[in-house]
Amino acid sequence: MSTTEVTEQKLSRTKIVDLMRDSGGKFMTILWTKTNGEIRLMNCKVAKGTNLTKMGYLPVTETKTKSLKNVDPRTIKSLKLSGVVYKATAK
């Protein structure tokens, strides 16, 4: 039986968004607060070359439903990408 070690790092939300945008379409898990106050955990991916929308949201494709979702980068709590968990630091 093998165990997978998960690395955890603290990063600013700006750096987390940069990691998401530069992920090259890799699958990731994000934890953020929706506009209605609900905390949401979602598996998704960001298409190559994706930028923030004019309203400042990051468009992602939810893996389960294959639907487009807009994530407010200011409410991201954590990101898991390539086996590393990035926790957002408070400003």
Side-chain angles (χ1 to χ4, degrees):
M1 179 186 223
S2 66
T3 58
T4 304
E5 190 172 320
V6 176
T7 306
E8 190 173 298
Q9 295 181 20
K10 292 187 179 200
L11 284 180
S12 70
R13 286 183 179 90
T14 303
K15 296 220 184 269
I16 288 175
V17 170
D18 288 343
L19 283 172
M20 291 173 71
R21 282 193 353 227
D22 298 339
S23 66
K26 290 182 183 176
F27 291 100
M28 62 188 76
T29 303
I30 58 172
L31 179 69
W32 86 101
T33 305
K34 292 172 50 172
T35 54
N36 66 3
E38 178 185 340
I39 294 179
R40 175 88 191 272
L41 181 69
M42 178 174 64
N43 293 320
C44 61
K45 64 181 181 174
V46 178
K48 283 185 179 181
T50 298
N51 289 312
L52 297 178
T53 65
K54 290 181 182 180
M55 296 297 291
Y57 292 96
L58 183 65
V60 299
T61 303
E62 184 176 14
T63 307
K64 185 177 180 180
T65 63
K66 296 187 179 26
S67 61
L68 186 66
K69 305 287 185 186
N70 287 310
V71 175
D72 184 348
R74 299 172 296 179
T75 65
I76 294 174
K77 299 187 178 306
S78 69
L79 164 71
K80 183 176 180 185
L81 178 66
S82 299
V84 180
V85 176
Y86 300 96
K87 299 263 183 179
T89 57
K91 289 185 178 182

